[in-house]
Amino acid sequence: MWSAYLILMGLLILLTLLPKIQNQHWIFRVPEFGKIQITYFIVITFFLGFFTQPSEGFWYYQGILLILFVHHGAILVKYTPLYRVKKHHQRNQSSQKLHFVSANVYQFNTEYNRFIRLIEKCKPEMFLTMESNSDWEKALRVLENDYPYSHKITLENTYGMHFYSKIQIKNAITHYFVADDIPSIEIHLETEDGFSFVFFGVHPPPPSPTEEQTSKERDGDLLSIAKRVKDIHKPVMVVGDFNNVAWSKSSILFRKTSLLIDPRIGRAFVSTFHAKYQLLRFPIDLMFHSEDIFIKKLTTLENFGSDHLPVYCEFFIDHHNEEQEERIEVANSEEKAEAEKMIQEGKMEDGERDAIVTEG
């Protein structure tokens, strides 16, 4: 038991230290995803220590575990209701409540009707699908009477993206910031009550042993979007499968560069992947928004057969409410230079992806 205790503690220290090393290889970036699980295991290991036959240095080791817990807890508490942020009430000059669903549908998931029923049940004004290919596009045609506006990027490489809306699309742009097979979408919309806003859909590639060896393309893509967002003088939200977590260095750099707000802060983790394994679920389907967009509800919805849970959001727009300005953090000159470097590295990275991906 003592040996198991020492092995667990050594592993937890390693998983804590690896992300501190500023290397974009997946070995250093993947442990960021499991910070919630790592924190749970720190607590379990701490209490496990009392059931061992302690040897010399026992309280020293327990002290290390307490330090690890405080380190992770200080970061994670910001993404819980324990971290107090000001609540905002909808006022007369704001827009009507709006809703969207964002879902990585998993390209090889054929349970189309479960997702269609989910949309029919929630009735969002707009929804975004990622990993949607030609089969998904055909299946979703039954919704086009209710969602007459759309922007479709049909790909078979697990990076297809489809956007459907009841709100009029004024302009739609497809961006390929770092690679010609990794799209992002920029949708300009205008509501019936006269509120214009911009919706970005993103899905950069993840750093992993089975996909991209580094996070360079992911980080370059996200920071390119951040720079683009900063130049748009309308309410903006960026939504999608970021293949990243909100507390990672690149996510924080994205937030500071774009001047957007993370609605998870003071709310919840909103973990989405993997849909089938609750104890091994990471919050990688993120969203960020500008100061004049106010989030009323942000949560996950039921599983429809994908490996990701869908995200549901209720929000409104208020141009005259400045109460969220204090939540915006601005990148300093050093951080801006780092963002530029990461963008260039992302563009130079040669991701080896097949144009058509088959299951297995």
Side-chain angles (χ1 to χ4, degrees):
M1 184 73 80
W2 179 248
S3 296
Y5 169 80
L6 292 178
I7 290 170
L8 274 172
M9 190 180 69
L11 182 60
L12 291 167
I13 292 172
L14 178 64
L15 292 174
T16 299
L17 293 178
L18 279 175
K20 304 296 181 187
I21 300 172
Q22 296 310 310
N23 186 304
Q24 289 174 290
H25 193 277
W26 67 264
I27 288 175
F28 301 95
R29 302 279 62 87
V30 167
E32 293 175 318
F33 289 59
K35 187 176 287 290
I36 300 169
Q37 288 77 10
I38 290 169
T39 305
Y40 286 143
F41 273 102
I42 289 170
V43 174
I44 292 169
T45 304
F46 179 84
F47 286 105
L48 177 66
F50 293 108
F51 294 93
T52 65
Q53 294 181 341
S55 66
E56 187 177 350
F58 170 73
W59 287 109
Y60 171 77
Y61 297 136
Q62 291 290 80
I64 291 175
L65 288 171
L66 282 174
I67 291 170
L68 292 178
F69 175 77
V70 170
H71 167 74
H72 290 288
I75 295 170
L76 293 178
V77 73
K78 291 180 66 176
Y79 303 92
T80 73
L82 296 175
Y83 188 85
R84 302 300 296 272
V85 296
K86 191 172 184 179
K87 304 298 181 183
H88 305 283
H89 300 286
Q90 191 167 3
R91 303 186 298 187
N92 291 333
Q93 63 265 51
S94 68
S95 72
Q96 296 296 313
K97 287 181 183 177
L98 300 168
H99 312 79
F100 74 77
V101 170
S102 168
N104 183 322
V105 297
Y106 183 59
Q107 181 170 298
F108 310 107
N109 174 23
T110 58
E111 299 188 59
Y112 312 115
N113 287 334
R114 288 179 67 183
F115 180 73
I116 291 167
R117 287 196 297 270
L118 185 69
I119 295 299
E120 290 174 339
K121 176 183 175 182
C122 295
K123 296 180 172 59
E125 281 77 17
M126 54 200 144
F127 68 91
L128 171 72
T129 63
M130 292 151 287
E131 289 201 28
S132 40
N133 61 357
S134 57
D135 291 334
W136 270 95
E137 183 176 317
K138 292 174 186 175
L140 294 175
R141 284 175 185 165
V142 298
L143 294 171
E144 290 185 0
N145 285 336
D146 293 327
Y147 295 87
Y149 306 101
S150 62
H151 185 63
K152 306 173 184 178
I153 308 166
T154 308
L155 298 172
E156 304 294 332
N157 65 350
T158 72
Y159 291 97
M161 192 176 293
H162 290 68
F163 179 82
Y164 295 86
S165 176
K166 296 179 180 180
I167 302 170
Q168 185 178 7
I169 294 177
K170 291 294 187 178
N171 190 25
I173 305 167
T174 302
H175 296 287
Y176 295 89
F177 286 113
V178 298
D180 59 9
D181 60 346
I182 302 294
S184 301
I185 60 172
E186 175 184 335
I187 311 292
H188 293 247
L189 304 110
E190 185 175 338
T191 65
E192 290 185 356
D193 51 353
F195 286 82
S196 296
F197 66 101
V198 183
F199 184 103
F200 278 83
V202 305
H203 184 205
S208 81
T210 58
E211 296 194 51
E212 300 307 311
Q213 291 296 300
T214 74
S215 65
K216 289 181 180 180
E217 281 191 305
R218 180 199 71 182
D219 297 341
D221 192 53
L222 291 176
L223 289 166
S224 296
I225 293 166
K227 283 187 64 180
R228 169 64 182 162
V229 165
K230 191 177 178 181
D231 294 332
I232 295 176
H233 304 292
K234 292 180 182 179
V236 176
M237 58 174 56
V238 183
V239 178
D241 177 2
F242 277 58
N243 278 312
N244 205 358
V245 284
W247 49 79
S248 75
K249 183 176 181 179
S250 55
S251 279
I252 293 170
L253 195 55
F254 170 89
R255 175 163 53 83
K256 290 183 176 182
T257 303
S258 63
L259 304 180
L260 297 182
I261 295 167
D262 182 354
R264 279 171 165 75
I265 294 176
R267 191 181 300 271
F269 296 125
V270 195
S271 298
T272 55
F273 177 88
H274 195 286
K276 294 180 181 178
Y277 311 115
Q278 187 170 356
L279 296 179
L280 294 174
R281 191 171 291 168
F282 311 133
I284 64 173
D285 292 87
L286 306 181
M287 77 161 292
F288 296 85
H289 63 88
S290 56
E291 65 189 62
D292 37 13
I293 289 179
F294 294 81
I295 308 301
K296 296 288 288 183
K297 185 176 183 180
L298 183 67
T299 188
T300 55
L301 299 174
E302 65 195 67
N303 186 11
F304 59 91
S306 174
D307 53 353
H308 289 244
L309 294 176
V311 174
Y312 173 84
C313 179
E314 178 182 306
F315 68 98
F316 64 89
I317 303 168
D318 190 343
H319 298 298
H320 304 286
N321 191 335
E322 299 177 351
E323 293 177 345
Q324 288 193 129
E325 281 188 359
E326 62 190 36
R327 296 184 63 184
I328 295 174
E329 295 183 62
V330 181
N332 58 36
S333 58
E334 185 177 323
E335 289 170 327
K336 290 176 182 177
E338 186 172 9
E340 287 294 341
K341 179 183 176 183
M342 293 170 79
I343 289 170
Q344 294 308 313
E345 287 179 344
K347 291 178 178 179
M348 292 171 62
E349 189 75 359
D350 184 19
E352 297 180 359
R353 288 174 291 271
D354 296 328
I356 299 176
V357 176
T358 56
E359 189 171 16

